[in-house]
Amino acid sequence: METVVNIVQSCSYFGLILTLAAFFAGRWVTKKTGIRALNPMVFAMVVIVAILLVCRVDYDAYYESAQIVSFLLGPTTVALAVPLYRQVQVLKRNWWLILVSCACGALSAMLFIFAFSVLTRLNPDVFRSILTKSVTSAIALGVTAEFGGMPELTIFSVTITGITGATFGLIACRLFRIREPVAVGLAMGTAAHAIGTSCALEAGEVEGSMAGLAIATAGIISVIAAPYIGYLL
């Protein structure tokens, strides 16, 4: 086992190879089984954690060899502008509906966390750290830094929210008979940020475009509203 650990840790691209292999294996399993709960990201996380534990690979060593994945998050987010540009006419026709929908989604998510915190008498620092759980991590971390909160807890809450939304979001839309592509996309992007958007892109180009737009719109609204809601507790 010690030899395996040494070989793994000496490989400069071990983290990148493992991450890509786990994700594409997850996509294959999801397509073969048709089970939404087997989200590729959830599958990849479980597989990666299991392999790191079995091989006794330090997380820092894994992260160092997979840094390019984190770097690509920025360009990937910017690339969401491409499908949005293709659907610019849809945006022009529905701009006010989009704005109202994102505002309602972003504010309701934060107010729900506030109500939950009051009922459970949550520590104010914990409350402020999870307040922006429904926006993309870059924005959520910025808000947490302003509050002096716990970034680790913010990342955890954002990740769990995204995975839950990606896993059950489209199922909920079908359950409540929400079939309009614009509505589906806005719901996925507002509630489950980038991870939900990846699911929305699989549903269709309109859904993916609207989800990408919702990430930015809900993020801006959250940044404006968070300082006011954050100090209510």
Side-chain angles (χ1 to χ4, degrees):
M1 179 60 73
E2 196 171 316
T3 306
V4 174
V5 173
N6 292 332
I7 293 173
V8 166
Q9 292 191 342
S10 64
C11 179
S12 302
Y13 298 103
F14 164 72
L16 175 62
I17 294 168
L18 175 60
T19 303
L20 293 177
F23 179 76
F24 284 110
R27 287 192 65 179
W28 182 83
V29 170
T30 302
K31 286 182 179 179
K32 284 292 182 182
T33 61
I35 302 173
R36 272 279 169 200
L38 290 174
N39 183 276
M41 184 162 289
V42 178
F43 183 92
M45 287 174 63
V46 173
V47 169
I48 290 170
V49 169
I51 290 176
L52 293 183
L53 289 173
V54 170
C55 295
R56 298 175 188 173
V57 177
D58 184 67
Y59 173 77
D60 291 333
Y62 160 75
Y63 181 77
E64 186 68 27
S65 60
Q67 270 192 329
I68 190 171
V69 178
S70 297
F71 170 77
L72 290 173
L73 285 174
T76 302
T77 303
V78 174
L80 290 172
V82 176
L84 179 60
Y85 175 75
R86 291 175 181 164
Q87 301 297 329
V88 69
Q89 294 304 320
V90 177
L91 173 59
K92 288 179 179 178
R93 287 196 304 269
N94 301 282
W95 67 269
W96 66 276
L97 288 172
I98 292 169
L99 184 60
V100 171
S101 298
C102 291
C104 290
L107 293 174
S108 63
M110 289 190 288
L111 290 172
F112 173 82
I113 291 297
F114 171 69
F116 174 79
S117 301
V118 171
L119 290 173
T120 58
R121 297 180 181 179
L122 206 62
N123 182 292
D125 289 334
V126 175
F127 159 63
R128 292 173 190 130
S129 298
I130 65 174
L131 181 62
T132 51
K133 67 176 182 60
S134 292
V135 299
T136 189
S137 56
I139 297 174
L141 285 172
V143 174
T144 297
E146 288 295 321
F147 285 139
M150 296 171 274
E152 297 84 1
L153 186 56
T154 300
I155 288 293
F156 177 76
S157 63
V158 167
T159 303
I160 293 298
T161 300
I163 290 173
T164 304
T167 304
F168 301 107
L170 294 179
I171 295 173
C173 286
R174 285 197 295 270
L175 183 64
F176 291 99
R177 299 180 181 179
I178 302 172
R179 300 187 180 93
E180 171 58 45
V182 174
V184 172
L186 291 175
M188 295 296 289
T190 303
H193 48 82
I195 304 177
T197 298
S198 66
C199 247
L201 281 166
E202 292 180 8
E205 188 169 308
V206 176
E207 289 91 333
S209 302
M210 294 301 105
L213 177 63
I215 292 176
T217 308
I220 293 170
I221 293 168
S222 298
V223 167
I224 295 170
Y228 298 98
I229 299 175
Y231 289 107
L232 290 176
L233 193 63

